[in-house]
Amino acid sequence: MQLVADPGVFPPIPPSNLDDASAIVAHEWAAFGQVEEMKNHWDRPGWTPDTRAYYWMLTFPDAPALIDHARHCQSALRHLGLDDIKEDGLHLTLGRIGRVGEISQEQLDALAAAVSIRTPEAFTLHAIPLTASRGAVRYSVAPWTPILHLHAVLAAAGTSLGLPLRQPTSVLRPHLGIAYCNRRLSARTVRDAVRPLRDLAVAEVPVQHVRLVELRREGHSYQWETIHALALRWTEASVG
C-alpha cells in the first residue's frame, strides 16, 4: 500500500514501514516533537451542534484491556485539563461518507451490502502508548496494513455506488485518541506529561467488526448511532 505525503493530515509524511511498530512509534513521536503549540480540536469549520454525518469507524466496546489502559493514561494526564474520551467513545475513524440528509437509507444499505461482499479479514491491533497530534493525545497503532486494506475495501465499495470517502486511502494515518485538546496549549507541556507513559505495555485489541455510524457532537464529545455493524472474516491468520 503506497501512502503519500499530505500537509492536511498528521503526521504529514507517512512512516517508512507500515507494519513495524517501533518504526511507527518513533516516526509519530518525532512528528509530534516538531509541534510547538497544540490547538483546540473542537474549533472545526463545518461542525455545529446540528451537524450529523455518516462515517466508517472501528469502535471498541468489548475491549476491556484497552479501556483500562486508556483510563490509566487519562488519569495520569488529568492535570492537563484535556477532554477525555469516555470508554464507550474510543474509536478509530476510517472515513467520512457524507452528511445526513444527502444520503438515503437505501444507499446506506446498498453500501453495507457492497462491503459485505468483499469482507476483509479480522485482525489484531496493537495500541501503543503514547503520543499526540496537533489536537489530541493518542495511541500509535500497528500494524497499518490491515487497516489500510480495510479502508481500501470501504473506499472501493463507496466509489462503486457514487459515495466516495472524503479522503483516499493514500493519506490515511491510523490512530486511536484518548483525549482532545480544548484550547491552545504548549506541546512541550504535553510531551513532558506523556513521555513517562511511553514505557507502558502495549494493549492488544481484536478488531472483528467495522461500523457504519451516524456521528454527532454533544458538547466536547462525539456520539454515534450504529447503522450497520459488519463482521470481518475470521481466519487463523487473524490471530496475533
Side-chain angles (χ1 to χ4, degrees), residues 38-43 70 73-75 77-87 89-91 135-138 177-185 190 217-222:
M38 294 182 68
K39 64 182 181 180
N40 186 347
H41 170 86
W42 304 110
D43 185 15
C73 293
Q74 289 167 342
S75 178
L77 300 175
R78 194 141 292 146
H79 64 285
L80 295 177
L82 306 177
D83 292 324
D84 291 344
I85 299 174
K86 296 181 180 179
E87 62 183 62
L90 295 172
H91 64 279
V137 174
R138 65 197 207 180
I178 65 165
Y180 295 118
C181 189
N182 49 28
R183 65 197 188 280
R184 292 189 177 276
L185 183 64
V190 176
R217 270 172 47 172
E218 291 185 1
H220 283 191
S221 70
Y222 291 107

